[in-house]
Amino acid sequence: MNIGTNIYTLRKEKKITQAQLAEKLGVSEQSVSKWENNQCAPDVSLFPIMAEFFGVSIDRLFGYHMNSYADEVKAILKAADDSMDTYKEIEILGEGLKKYPNSPELKTALSFSLSMVNRISDSETERKEAVEKAIKLCMEVVDTCGDIKEVDNALNMLVRIYGEIGEHAKALDAIEKISAENYFFRIVGTATTYAYQHNDSALIQFTEQNLWHCWLAMDLILQVLTSRLSETGRYSEAAVFGKLHLSLLSVFDDGCADFYKAHKFFAALTLAHSYRKLDDKPNCLEAIRQLVCFGEQIKEPKEHDDFHVTSRNPLYFSDMNDSDAMEEFLFNFDYSFLLSPFDVFFGNDEAYQALRKNTAE
């Protein structure tokens, strides 16, 4: 039994400082430090207060059954899910909360099941009571839980519930409280709320801007990853992610076949080098064919304004401001220089030599 270590672990899980815990318990910061360093133990009268604050049993505070709590909560959640019946889920989760009244996982899961009653019940009174209880459970998690992940889960559930009952301002307020690290909940929740509001113009604009930002982020991280994998000689993995990168870059081709062709050009070049290192001539040749295709698109004269995402890809990005779009850069390149490593690799291969000849014309 190591009470000091357990207090330290629970405090870190709750993401609070020693000073914040000390203020909550009405003791000095030095006292908390001494507990965590096992120089002394807290007064016995503080154990119930700490257990309540951390949302655990006193047994867990002492280090008993540390794993059993998580295992039992997981088992309760699984039993509820396996029941395949909303009212049975509510019964199972409710019994679980009697045993673990401070469990944020059980509270959020129960709030979801209660929100389903709002969809399936014919009784207005039952629906209203279920929604009120679901909101209350989520608010308890938001107000008392120190685990950011669990708070975000509860806030995300509130967004759904408020959206379904027409409380759109409250839904948007809940979204604002979701942590920045949970970007997924924020953007999906906002889009869903606009849909519930029937605010189509806001939904379109929000979707296009976030679609662009998410797509660009994926483009850049895949670019960084494939380059790094190639640098470290992990060519098989580089090839896998390189193919994925090219697929991503072609997602918006329906709106503009040469969309972001410069990025496609370099992605194909990186992929070709990965296949070259793997001694895979068929796939390497195909990647070079793609590279040449993108290169020819780049060489086509274009007006400067044509390189704005909004003007070149109106099918997907019609409602974005030009200031929010990144311009695709123009550049000059020399096929002889770029393909020289492949000349040795392919030697006199007829298909490659024919392709190489076309680039020289």
Side-chain angles (χ1 to χ4, degrees):
M1 179 177 66
N2 193 328
I3 296 174
T5 300
N6 296 334
I7 293 173
Y8 171 82
T9 300
L10 290 167
R11 179 175 65 80
K12 286 296 184 180
E13 288 177 358
K14 204 168 180 65
K15 297 184 179 180
I16 60 171
T17 64
Q18 290 183 337
Q20 288 171 318
L21 178 58
E23 181 180 1
K24 178 67 180 178
L25 299 176
V27 299
S28 68
E29 185 178 349
Q30 290 77 12
S31 294
V32 175
S33 177
K34 287 181 179 179
W35 299 341
E36 293 185 355
N37 288 306
N38 295 304
Q39 295 177 5
C40 63
D43 187 272
V44 67
S45 64
L46 292 174
F47 289 132
I49 301 173
M50 277 193 284
E52 176 68 22
F53 178 64
F54 288 126
V56 299
S57 67
I58 293 179
D59 278 353
R60 280 194 68 205
L61 193 62
F62 274 85
Y64 301 128
H65 314 301
M66 291 294 286
N67 294 324
S68 64
Y69 164 78
D71 291 340
E72 287 193 38
V73 168
K74 188 175 180 180
I76 293 169
L77 292 171
K78 185 177 185 307
D81 189 53
D82 289 346
S83 70
M84 303 294 288
D85 178 87
T86 298
Y87 291 99
K88 188 64 177 178
E89 286 177 8
I90 292 171
E91 179 184 342
I92 293 170
L93 294 169
E95 288 300 315
L97 272 174
K98 289 180 182 178
K99 185 173 184 179
Y100 300 109
N102 294 315
S103 169
E105 299 96 332
L106 293 177
K107 288 180 180 180
T108 303
L110 180 54
S111 69
F112 173 79
S113 297
L114 288 166
S115 73
M116 291 300 296
V117 172
N118 186 52
R119 293 186 177 186
I120 64 176
S121 176
D122 294 327
S123 167
E124 184 178 349
T125 300
E126 184 181 41
R127 291 198 306 270
K128 182 179 178 181
E129 290 178 353
V131 166
E132 289 176 351
K133 186 173 181 180
I135 292 173
K136 182 175 181 292
L137 286 167
C138 289
M139 291 304 301
E140 286 177 4
V141 176
V142 172
D143 293 338
T144 64
C145 182
D147 187 324
I148 291 177
K149 178 182 176 182
E150 295 302 334
V151 171
D152 282 349
N153 286 336
L155 286 167
N156 187 54
M157 187 59 61
L158 282 172
V159 172
R160 168 192 162 134
I161 295 170
Y162 284 136
E164 290 189 348
I165 64 175
E167 297 280 358
H168 305 305
K170 290 182 178 179
L172 292 173
D173 181 62
I175 290 168
E176 288 301 311
K177 294 177 182 177
I178 295 174
S179 66
E181 64 190 57
N182 213 322
Y183 182 63
F184 176 82
F185 281 169
R186 292 175 69 91
I187 60 172
V188 175
T190 302
T192 303
T193 301
Y194 285 146
Y196 279 128
Q197 286 179 307
H198 300 156
N199 190 345
D200 295 342
S201 60
L203 176 59
I204 291 170
Q205 184 176 29
F206 181 81
T207 299
E208 289 182 356
Q209 292 203 358
N210 283 277
L211 185 66
W212 166 249
H213 293 147
C214 292
W215 178 88
L216 183 60
M218 292 177 68
D219 168 35
L220 296 177
I221 63 174
L222 283 170
Q223 183 183 120
V224 170
L225 176 62
T226 52
S227 296
R228 179 58 185 164
L229 290 171
S230 295
E231 288 171 4
T232 54
R234 298 164 66 178
Y235 302 113
S236 294
E237 292 170 275
V240 170
F241 285 102
K243 288 178 67 178
L244 176 63
H245 192 193
L246 276 176
S247 296
L248 172 73
L249 291 171
S250 299
V251 164
F252 301 116
D253 281 357
D254 285 345
C256 181
D258 62 354
F259 179 72
Y260 247 57
K261 57 196 174 186
H263 281 217
K264 292 176 182 176
F265 181 90
F266 284 115
L269 180 62
T270 301
L271 183 59
H273 279 296
S274 295
Y275 285 131
R276 178 174 64 87
K277 291 292 186 178
L278 291 169
D279 198 28
D280 185 342
K281 288 185 178 179
N283 279 317
C284 183
L285 185 62
E286 179 57 30
I288 293 173
R289 285 198 181 101
Q290 291 178 294
L291 179 150
V292 171
C293 178
F294 301 141
E296 293 308 302
Q297 291 175 358
I298 290 169
K299 286 183 175 181
E300 294 176 5
K302 293 282 186 181
E303 295 295 329
H304 180 73
D305 287 344
D306 288 340
F307 286 84
H308 281 294
V309 172
T310 50
S311 60
R312 292 181 59 240
N313 203 278
L315 178 61
Y316 295 103
F317 302 112
S318 60
D319 206 31
M320 282 174 58
N321 296 321
D322 279 349
S323 59
D324 291 324
M326 177 183 288
E327 289 184 33
E328 186 172 28
F329 55 89
L330 294 170
F331 64 96
N332 295 317
F333 59 89
D334 181 356
Y335 276 124
S336 295
F337 173 75
L338 291 174
L339 297 181
S340 58
F342 301 98
D343 290 343
V344 177
F345 177 61
F346 282 102
N348 295 322
D349 183 275
E350 292 182 3
Y352 174 76
Q353 288 301 325
L355 183 61
R356 192 72 170 82
K357 181 180 179 181
N358 288 335
T359 64
E361 295 176 352

